[in-house]
Amino acid sequence: MTSDAPDNLARMLADVMRQDRGRILAAVAARLGDLQQAEDAVQEAAASALVHWARSGPPDRPVAWLIRVAFRKAIDRLRGAGRHAATAAALTLLARDEAAEDPEMIPDDRLRLIFTCCHPALDPKSRVALTLRTIAGLTTAEIARAFLDTEPTMGQRLSRAKAKIAAAGIPFKLPEAEDLPDRLNSVLTVVYLIFNAGYTVGPSLDRDLCEEAIYLARLVSALQPGEAEVEGCLALMLLTHARRAARLRDGETVALTEQDRDLWDRDAMNEGLGLLDVAMARGTPGPFQIKAAIASCQSRTPPDWPQIAALYAGLYRHEPTPIIRLNLAVAEAEAGQLATALAAFEALAEPLADYQPYHAAVAEFMARTGRTGPALAAYARAIALAASPGDAAFLTRRRDRLRS
Amino acid sequence: MQYMLLIYTDPAQEPKYGTPEFGAMMAGYNAATTAMRTDGVFKSGDGLQGLHTATSVRLKAGKVETMDGPFAETKEYLGGYYVIDVPDLDAAVKYAAMIPSAGYGTVEVRPVMVY
């Protein structure tokens, strides 16, 4: 039978693993209590699938097959290791669930694994890498490329993080109710960092990190429904991602107000706006909902600047950072409170000395108030700090227009 | 799992003996210890005498060298510890956060090695 040829089987397995590796891994890790051992058990199950499926044909339900075999591999590993109380407890759990009628019917353990990967006792960069590896299923090489690291360095970071989870006793469990808001915020921060990394790098990667972040937020939202901040985070990313096709024109960044709105993804935009309404109706405001509300105001023509300024002022109470203060000042300036804004710009000169958007904003408002000299100097600084060629091209054109 | 909670403080930041703040700190320590004992997680724990009492010992070519002072001269130094037995790091962090010195110093949480 051609469908069982080794190539086809390998492809089928690769498809299943891409789709469901996170679920299978989470099921094993939650019972085994060790992420590295769980990864090894899943890897062994996949290797064994190729052999068995070639011999007796692929199973009707490959995921159930893989979960069951991964549990068996985990049991083998535990039997090989020394016996102590924790091992005995894990063995009991694995043996019970390995014998279950339908391993696919066991509850989804991915949320527990997400909370583990985003645990505040791990270094923030490791949280991002671990989440991409275990939940989104990116390879170490793909993660390394996304964060401009070498593969061995990223590999080391991942194994150090997994070793800490095991040795420090970071649990594979859902946080207690009183800790949930903080821990959920830690998860959403990781998801949003992944989104921002994708936004900065652009869709040139083999895996679009923006799409991965949206996938992760959807997963968290499905597994932990009814959380306004989760919905707010997803809404924020959908609203931002909806504008991706309009963001660049001929390799140059296009300002929001000048974007071609026909290029915006209407479906993503509407889904984001709908989600934001649902989130806000829950009456538990938070920073992600505020950021999504800002993104929603920005997409109106013309943008509602007084409202945006009010939202940034609210956000600043949650996150009193110089970057939020800068955004507040820009919104104030756009809303006509130029004097207030310029005073804020002055106060931010030191903390944001190396932040490109700061110099771009100063340049813009110096130019608008006719102060050409300071404007040109600020443009020069912004261009030197620009993170992408698109930003540099945009800033250069603005500067040249001021010169002529 | 057993965890050691190592309490690091800067003496300059600590409440002074005889002030109401000092009383509150001692009451906080009593409350933390009582909670650990009541929950059945307390293994051991004590405060240490001040830095001026520290002696450091090294063996150099089989010869004992003793020196006055702590292992490292830092602003924050080890002032006491607890050893607790709890299921996981989340639980250990909860007890660490009950220690009053966490408010002006640092409590380092380290799992005890299992042989």
Side-chain angles (χ1 to χ4, degrees), chain A residues 9-24 49 53 58-67 104:
Chain A
L9 282 178
R11 206 168 305 129
M12 176 182 171
L13 179 65
D15 283 348
V16 174
M17 290 297 275
R18 184 157 40 244
Q19 194 73 42
D20 291 299
R21 182 181 181 274
R23 251 205 84 185
I24 302 168
W53 298 3
D60 292 338
R61 311 222 327 281
V63 175
W65 192 98
L66 284 163
I67 291 179
E104 230 179 328

Side-chain angles (χ1 to χ4, degrees), chain B residues 37-69:
Chain B
R37 286 188 192 277
T38 312
D39 297 348
V41 303
F42 180 90
K43 288 288 177 197
S44 62
D46 271 305
L48 303 177
Q49 296 215 32
L51 269 195
H52 61 282
T53 64
T55 307
S56 295
V57 180
R58 283 194 193 103
L59 276 182
K60 283 269 168 74
K63 210 172 146 299
V64 178
E65 272 183 13
T66 57
M67 274 183 301
D68 175 44

Side-chain angles (χ1 to χ4, degrees), chain A residues 151-296:
Chain A
E151 197 178 333
T153 307
M154 187 51 79
Q156 269 174 11
R157 174 179 288 282
L158 285 166
S159 40
R160 269 201 306 270
K162 285 181 281 196
K164 174 154 187 195
I165 290 172
I170 294 178
F172 290 89
K173 67 173 192 199
L174 298 178
E176 285 167 35
E178 59 182 277
D179 299 329
L180 188 63
D182 280 350
R183 296 289 306 278
L184 212 44
N185 185 266
S186 177
V187 169
L188 296 177
T189 304
V190 165
V191 170
Y192 195 54
L193 277 172
I194 293 172
F195 184 84
N196 272 327
Y199 186 95
T200 310
V201 179
S204 58
L205 282 174
D206 30 7
R207 300 280 290 260
D208 181 351
L209 290 185
C210 292
E211 306 269 0
E212 298 294 345
I214 289 171
Y215 160 81
L216 287 167
R218 284 191 198 284
L219 184 64
V220 176
S221 178
L223 297 173
Q224 183 80 41
E227 292 288 342
E229 274 295 88
V230 177
E231 292 158 346
C233 179
L234 181 53
L236 167 63
M237 295 191 295
L238 286 168
L239 291 172
T240 312
H241 201 48
R243 303 195 295 247
R244 66 191 175 283
R247 197 174 293 138
L248 276 179
R249 192 187 297 137
D250 304 325
E252 184 182 305
T253 306
V254 185
L256 187 61
T257 44
E258 289 161 24
Q259 288 180 3
D260 176 359
R261 288 169 183 243
D262 291 339
L263 293 175
W264 287 3
D265 178 344
R266 273 289 135 207
D267 289 342
M269 197 66 89
N270 288 335
E271 191 192 352
L273 293 173
L275 263 169
L276 179 58
D277 285 345
V278 171
M280 305 236 282
R282 295 191 194 280
T284 45
F288 281 107
Q289 293 168 76
I290 299 178
K291 286 178 192 171
I294 290 168
S296 140

Side-chain angles (χ1 to χ4, degrees), chain A residues 323-351:
Chain A
I323 292 180
I324 304 291
R325 187 66 193 84
L326 170 66
N327 283 299
L328 171 56
V330 169
E332 284 168 344
E334 293 284 7
Q337 301 165 256
L338 211 54
T340 321
L342 288 175
F345 283 151
E346 226 162 275
L348 290 167
E350 203 191 303

Side-chain angles (χ1 to χ4, degrees), chain B residues 69-112:
Chain B
F71 158 64
E73 293 284 357
T74 51
K75 253 171 66 174
E76 295 194 322
Y77 76 103
L78 185 64
Y81 71 95
Y82 286 97
V83 174
I84 56 172
D85 194 348
V86 292
D88 55 45
L89 182 65
D90 286 359
V93 167
K94 278 219 162 27
Y95 289 106
M98 289 179 193
I99 299 173
S101 298
Y104 40 85
T106 305
V107 178
E108 184 177 320
V109 180
R110 293 272 289 273
V112 175

